[in-house]
């Protein structure tokens, strides 16, 4: 799970970055690749903590269905609409896009492509809304699926997150205790009792990811030739996961929060957000 595509690609696209910046954090999406999130930094340093080596390496929607006879670089694959595009870097189709800096909001609607086959997937329309609130970025994802029922429930990334390989320490909470690990290759699974994970450096500073209601996650670190940075082949990956089946008429929505800071700052901000989410759920009729 998670996209690592290193074969020669058939398509190259010119990046078209759009940003929101509130003076604390700065987030960027690439319009040329499904308005996927590939940039997240502190406003002052502008050091991008994300990796966007190829079309699969973004914070984006990507869903999994049944084997469909398609081929990913010689490997049999499955139904897999991806917001950014195919493994050959053929981009998805951006149906709608708006960046309103005054309102502090980016919205987009996307027709994804099959990761392996490369065809557009009009039956799996994806939407995203991005806002900034202090040191936190809030991304709301939505999938409207009108295709055929898929047979089996599968782990779904909520969402896939690719981070600079220089941030090596995966940190999360497990029943009140801080857990630290350096993931290997391939996927390793875990459960974060506070529903967030973070990739941090040796000084306990880095990026945190929260998907409320989603404690389970999968992770790995891919080294390749070892080049780190936003466009490096190496990456640190994590994805909160839920197990579900794509069925005709499914409308799937979820929220993701990102922040940058120390472990203490990340945990404090996410604790406040989780309490707010819990209160909102309690007040619903």
């Amino acid at each position: 799970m998670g996209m690592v595509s290193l074969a020669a690609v058939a398509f190259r696209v010119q990046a078209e970055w759009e940003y929101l910046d509130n003076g604390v954090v700065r987030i960027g999406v690439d319009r040329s690749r499904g308005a996927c999130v590939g940039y997240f930094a502190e406003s002052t340093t502008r050091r991008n903590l994300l990796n966007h080596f190829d079309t699969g390496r973004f914070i984006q929607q990507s869903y999994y269905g049944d084997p469909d006879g398609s081929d990913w670089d010689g490997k049999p694959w499955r139904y897999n609409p991806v917001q950014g595009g195919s493994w050959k870097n053929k981009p998805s189709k951006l149906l709608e896009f708006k960046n309103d800096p005054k309102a502090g909001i980016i919205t987009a609607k996307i027709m994804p492509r099959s990761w392996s086959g490369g065809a557009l997937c009009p039956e799996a329309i994806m939407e995203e809304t991005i806002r900034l609130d202090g040191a936190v970025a809030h991304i709301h994802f939505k999938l409207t699926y009108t295709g055929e029922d898929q047979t089996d429930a599968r782990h779904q990334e909520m969402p896939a997150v690719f981070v600079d390989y220089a941030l090596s320490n995966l940190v999360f909470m497990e029943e009140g205790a801080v857990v630290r690990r350096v993931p290997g290759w391939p996927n390793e699974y875990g459960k974060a009792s506070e529903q967030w994970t973070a990739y941090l450096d040796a000084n306990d500073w880095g990026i945190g990811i929260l998907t409320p209601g989603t404690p389970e996650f999968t992770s790995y670190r891919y080294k390749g030739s070892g080049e780190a940075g936003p466009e490096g082949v190496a990456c640190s990956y994590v994805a909160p996961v839920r197990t579900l089946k794509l069925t005709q008429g499914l409308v799937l929505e979820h929220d993701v929060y990102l922040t940058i800071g120390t472990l203490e700052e990340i945990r404090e901000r996410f604790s406040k957000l989780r309490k707010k989410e819990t209160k909102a759920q309690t007040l619903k009729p």
Side-chain angles (χ1 to χ4, degrees), residues 8-9 13 21-22 31 46-47 55 65 67 115 130-132 184 193 196:
V9 294
V13 293
D21 192 325
N22 65 358
R31 290 184 55 168
R46 297 202 176 182
R47 176 192 168 188
T55 305
W115 175 251
I130 303 171
R131 295 181 173 88
L132 299 179
S193 57
W196 59 263

Side-chain angles (χ1 to χ4, degrees), residues 114-131:
S114 162
W115 175 251
S116 49
L120 286 169
C121 300
E123 74 287 347
I125 298 301
M126 299 175 178
E127 299 174 62
E128 72 178 7
T129 303
I130 303 171
R131 295 181 173 88

Side-chain angles (χ1 to χ4, degrees), residues 61-64 79 81 110 112 121 123-128 140-146 156 244-247 249-254:
Q61 296 181 78
S62 170
Y63 301 100
Y64 298 89
Y79 179 73
I110 307 98
C121 300
E123 74 287 347
I125 298 301
M126 299 175 178
E127 299 174 62
E128 72 178 7
H140 181 78
F141 286 121
K142 179 180 179 180
L143 168 71
T144 302
Y145 180 72
T146 57
Q156 309 291 353
L244 58 90
K245 179 168 59 174
L246 299 177
T247 56
L250 174 70
V251 177
L252 178 63
E253 300 186 58
H254 66 284

Side-chain angles (χ1 to χ4, degrees), residues 27 31 54-55 81 151 154 227 243 270-271:
I27 193 166
R31 290 184 55 168
D54 65 16
T55 305
T151 304
R154 301 183 185 278
E227 181 187 356
T243 302
F270 285 165
S271 176

